[in-house]
C-alpha cells in the first residue's frame, strides 16, 4: 500500500468520526469516498457507521467500480463513480443524511436548478448552486444517471427525499462544504416565512469571481 493510500484511509476514519460526533451522520447513513492518484477509489463499506470505520476494512474499487480489496462497498458507489467521471478535479465525495439538508430535500421546490437561495457568502463560496436530483431509491442504478447529468455543472447537489452529495478537491473540502450546507439549511428553516434579504446577483457573481465557487 502506498503512503498516499495509508494516509487517505486514516483521513476517512478521522472525518467519518468527526461527522458522526457533530451529529451530521447517524446509524449507518452516509458514505465517503476518495480518489487515489492512480484513479482507484476508496469508499466506505455498505452499512458501516461513519463513526466507527476501520482503515483496513474500507473498500477499494477500480475506476470502473470492480472491487479490488476490503469489505463490500457502499451500495451508492456507482453515483460516486459517476461524479468522479464528470469532475476530473474531484478527489473526494461526501454523501450524508444530515437533518436540515434532508428536510430541504423533502420540500416542494419551484426552481429545481437551485433549491437554496443565496443567504450567506460562505454558502456561495463553499456550496454554490444546489440543484435537486429526482428521487430514486438508495442503490437504484438510475440514481447514478441522474447524478451524472447534474455533476458536470455542480460540485454539490441534493438528492430528493434523501440528502446531499458534495465533491471536493480534498476530503476536508467536501466535508467543510457539507457542514456549510447543513448550517445554511438550518438558517433557511430558522428564517421561515419572514421576509429575507438575499444576496444580490452581483454579490454572488463577485464571490464566484474572487473565490471561484
Ligand atoms: P451504504 O451503507 O450502502 O453506503 O448506504 C448508506 C446511505 O447513505 C444510503 O443513502
Amino acid at each position: 500500500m502506498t503512503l498516499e493510500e495509508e494516509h487517505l484511509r486514516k483521513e476517512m476514519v478521522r472525518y467519518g468520526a468527526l461527522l458522526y460526533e457533530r451529529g451530521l451522520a447517524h446509524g449507518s447513513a452516509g458514505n465517503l469516498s476518495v480518489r487515489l492518484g492512480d484513479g482507484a477509489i476508496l469508499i466506505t463499506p455498505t452499512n458501516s457507521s461513519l463513526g466507527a470505520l476501520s482503515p483496513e476494512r474500507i473498500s477499494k474499487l477500480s475506476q470502473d467500480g470492480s472491487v479490488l480489496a476490503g469489505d463490500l462497498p457502499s451500495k451508492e458507489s456507482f453515483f460516486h463513480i459517476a461524479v468522479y467521471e464528470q469532475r476530473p478535479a474531484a478527489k473526494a465525495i461526501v454523501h450524508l443524511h444530515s437533518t436540515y439538508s434532508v428536510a430541504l430535500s423533502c420540500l416542494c421546490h419551484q426552481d429545481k436548478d437551485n433549491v437554496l437561495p443565496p443567504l450567506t457568502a460562505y454558502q456561495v463560496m463553499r456550496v454554490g448552486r444546489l440543484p435537486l436530483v429526482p428521487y430514486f431509491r438508495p442503490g437504484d442504478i438510475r440514481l447514478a444517471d441522474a447524478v451524472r447529468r447534474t455533476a458536470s455543472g455542480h460540485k454539490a447537489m441534493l438528492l430528493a427525499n434523501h440528502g446531499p452529495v458534495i465533491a471536493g478537491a480534498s476530503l476536508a473540502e467536501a466535508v467543510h462544504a457539507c457542514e456549510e450546507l447543513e448550517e445554511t439549511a438550518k438558517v433557511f428553516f430558522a428564517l421561515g416565512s419572514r421576509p429575507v434579504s438575499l444576496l444580490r446577483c452581483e454579490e454572488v457573481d463577485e464571490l464566484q469571481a474572487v473565490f471561484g465557487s
Side-chain angles (χ1 to χ4, degrees):
M1 189 184 302
T2 63
L3 284 176
E4 177 204 31
E5 180 171 344
E6 207 175 312
H7 168 71
L8 287 172
R9 284 176 180 269
K10 288 184 187 150
E11 285 288 274
M12 290 173 77
V13 173
R14 190 164 75 82
Y15 277 108
L18 181 144
L19 289 165
Y20 194 85
E21 281 156 19
R22 292 187 180 167
L24 280 98
H26 56 271
S28 65
N31 33 68
L32 313 176
S33 72
V34 299
R35 174 155 56 182
L36 302 174
D38 66 1
I41 293 161
L42 300 177
I43 190 160
T44 48
T46 191
N47 297 326
S48 56
S49 165
L50 294 190
L53 297 170
S54 16
E56 66 284 357
R57 295 182 64 176
I58 287 171
S59 321
K60 184 173 181 180
L61 307 177
S62 65
Q63 296 181 38
D64 63 5
S66 324
V67 181
L68 301 174
D71 285 6
L72 190 66
S74 168
K75 60 179 145 332
E76 297 182 323
S77 303
F78 52 81
F79 77 56
H80 286 249
I81 291 169
V83 174
Y84 287 125
E85 280 170 8
Q86 293 299 312
R87 302 190 69 82
K91 292 279 184 254
I93 297 168
V94 176
H95 164 58
L96 297 176
H97 295 182
S98 44
T99 309
Y100 287 87
S101 304
V102 173
L104 185 66
S105 83
C106 297
L107 291 179
C108 295
H109 294 281
Q110 299 285 353
D111 179 8
K112 294 189 173 37
D113 291 335
N114 190 14
V115 297
L116 193 55
L119 295 168
T120 72
Y122 262 65
Q123 170 203 352
V124 173
M125 289 155 54
R126 299 283 184 254
V127 181
R129 289 173 71 82
L130 186 69
L132 188 72
V133 174
Y135 175 81
F136 293 100
R137 71 159 167 77
D140 188 326
I141 192 72
R142 288 173 295 177
L143 191 53
D145 296 329
V147 166
R148 185 177 288 106
R149 280 194 291 276
T150 309
S152 59
H154 302 89
K155 65 181 174 193
M157 62 194 85
L158 196 56
L159 310 183
N161 303 84
H162 189 165
V165 175
I166 304 190
S170 65
L171 190 54
E173 188 181 302
V175 165
H176 293 167
C178 277
E179 291 190 281
E180 197 61 47
L181 170 58
E182 180 66 5
E183 295 307 313
T184 312
K186 235 180 249 184
V187 170
F188 174 80
F189 285 105
L191 292 167
S193 55
R194 295 178 190 85
V196 174
S197 165
L198 297 176
L199 295 181
R200 289 178 285 116
C201 285
E202 313 84 79
E203 291 166 336
V204 170
D205 290 347
E206 184 198 17
L207 287 164
Q208 283 167 346
V210 175
F211 297 103
S213 178

